[in-house]
Amino acid sequence: MANVQFSFKRYEKKYMLTSFQRDRLLEIINGKIVKDKYGESKICNIYYDTDDFSLIRKSIEKPVYKEKLRVRSYGVPDDESDVFIEIKKKFDGIVYKRRITASAAGVESIMSGGAIAYPGGQIAREIEYFISFYDLSPKVFIAYDRTAYAGKDDGAVRITFDKNIRFRTYDLDLRKGDKGRKILDSDLYLTEIKLPGVCPLWLSSALTQVGAKNVSFSKYGECYKKYILPEIFKKSNEISKGELLGA
């Protein structure tokens, strides 16, 4: 993957916009942005966690420091397609992302604790340590359709619009398609502003004009709170009832 960035440090702000707000925002900042190198894309992710979901449970408590690991592809990969293995950390409002590439067929071996053969392997060593320290396994697949823009005069300023956010807790393999249950209304776009520093005035003004409100929203966190956790409680209650009946 030529010209791919493997390490990020930036601020990220999130907004939940209706289709009307999104269209109006694009109208206002027309001329200030261009579609980035990804443009329109389908992003597929598998999030890894401990058996008791400790990473996402800590994350939704909004600590000063949090971290997670996911495997990501752009589109549905085949065996030989390159995918990203990423550690994403957030400390004091700043997001740090470190990632390497691997073949989609080779991910399972790496995530099961296999050694990573990777040139300039500092990031690989961080990922190996993360996997072994937490004893991770795949927990949820999340996909969405993204349109991405970059600042015309400053490509480090990025704006992404995600829609059709969907998830599944089965077939946890990126090669098994992008099917899943939707978690957002079809009229809503999760909008992310990714910045190297202060938000440009032209963008800040445009967000104010469309009535955009900053939100705290995690795709994995939303899945966990609304769908995964209730299912855990349901199974726990069923086990408890079975134990009582068998007593």
Side-chain angles (χ1 to χ4, degrees):
M1 289 186 175
N3 300 317
V4 170
Q5 189 173 355
F6 292 95
S7 182
F8 302 77
K9 176 185 176 182
R10 64 196 182 195
Y11 293 90
E12 295 183 356
K13 296 183 179 294
K14 298 181 181 181
Y15 304 84
M16 197 65 72
L17 302 183
T18 64
S19 57
F20 176 81
Q21 286 175 302
R22 172 190 181 272
D23 292 346
R24 179 63 181 141
L25 178 64
L26 289 174
E27 182 183 333
I28 294 170
I29 61 178
N30 182 38
K32 296 286 189 180
I33 57 171
V34 293
K35 282 191 176 179
D36 77 358
K37 61 183 177 181
Y38 292 108
E40 305 276 348
S41 60
K42 187 193 310 290
I43 299 181
C44 302
N45 307 273
I46 294 178
Y47 287 84
Y48 285 72
D49 212 326
T50 62
D51 286 345
D52 63 353
F53 293 91
S54 65
L55 292 178
I56 192 57
R57 287 193 293 107
K58 179 180 178 181
S59 177
I60 60 181
E61 291 172 356
K62 298 181 173 59
V64 174
Y65 173 80
K66 59 185 178 180
E67 57 189 355
K68 60 188 173 185
L69 187 144
R70 68 191 176 200
V71 178
R72 165 173 289 189
S73 66
Y74 289 83
V76 177
D78 57 29
D79 286 353
E80 301 306 315
S81 298
D82 279 332
V83 301
F84 291 105
I85 302 175
E86 304 180 336
I87 296 176
K88 189 173 183 181
K89 305 180 180 183
K90 188 174 184 180
F91 176 70
D92 200 22
I94 303 175
V95 173
Y96 302 85
K97 187 161 72 171
R98 311 268 280 167
R99 63 186 185 179
I100 62 171
T101 55
S103 70
V107 165
E108 184 175 354
S109 173
I110 292 172
M111 297 307 298
S112 297
I116 305 174
Y118 203 79
Q122 175 58 34
I123 298 176
R125 286 192 291 273
E126 291 177 26
I127 290 172
E128 284 181 326
Y129 177 79
F130 195 104
I131 294 169
S132 64
F133 182 81
Y134 285 109
D135 190 19
L136 302 175
S137 59
K139 294 301 179 187
V140 64
F141 169 93
I142 298 176
Y144 39 94
D145 304 319
R146 169 171 287 181
T147 306
Y149 296 87
K152 192 172 183 180
D153 297 323
D154 184 358
V157 175
R158 296 186 66 243
I159 308 169
T160 60
F161 299 95
D162 296 340
K163 66 176 182 178
N164 299 327
I165 302 173
R166 51 206 183 270
F167 84 100
R168 64 177 186 257
T169 54
Y170 58 92
D171 286 345
L172 298 180
D173 186 319
L174 294 174
R175 295 167 292 178
K176 293 188 176 180
D178 68 326
K179 59 186 179 294
R181 178 180 179 182
K182 286 190 180 181
I183 66 172
L184 276 185
D185 187 287
S186 298
D187 187 52
L188 293 177
Y189 289 80
L190 178 61
T191 304
E192 297 186 39
I193 311 297
K194 307 166 196 289
L195 304 161
V198 177
C199 185
L201 183 59
W202 57 266
L203 181 52
S204 177
S205 174
L207 290 165
T208 299
Q209 288 183 63
V210 302
K213 303 295 184 184
N214 196 214
V215 298
S216 176
F217 185 92
S218 160
K219 300 180 184 80
Y220 179 24
E222 188 76 359
C223 286
Y224 177 74
K225 289 185 293 184
K226 286 193 172 181
Y227 302 100
I228 298 174
L229 188 57
E231 189 63 26
I232 291 172
F233 283 142
K234 179 182 176 182
K235 289 180 179 178
S236 177
N237 288 335
E238 288 174 351
I239 291 171
S240 296
K241 287 179 181 178
E243 289 174 345
L244 287 172
L245 289 172

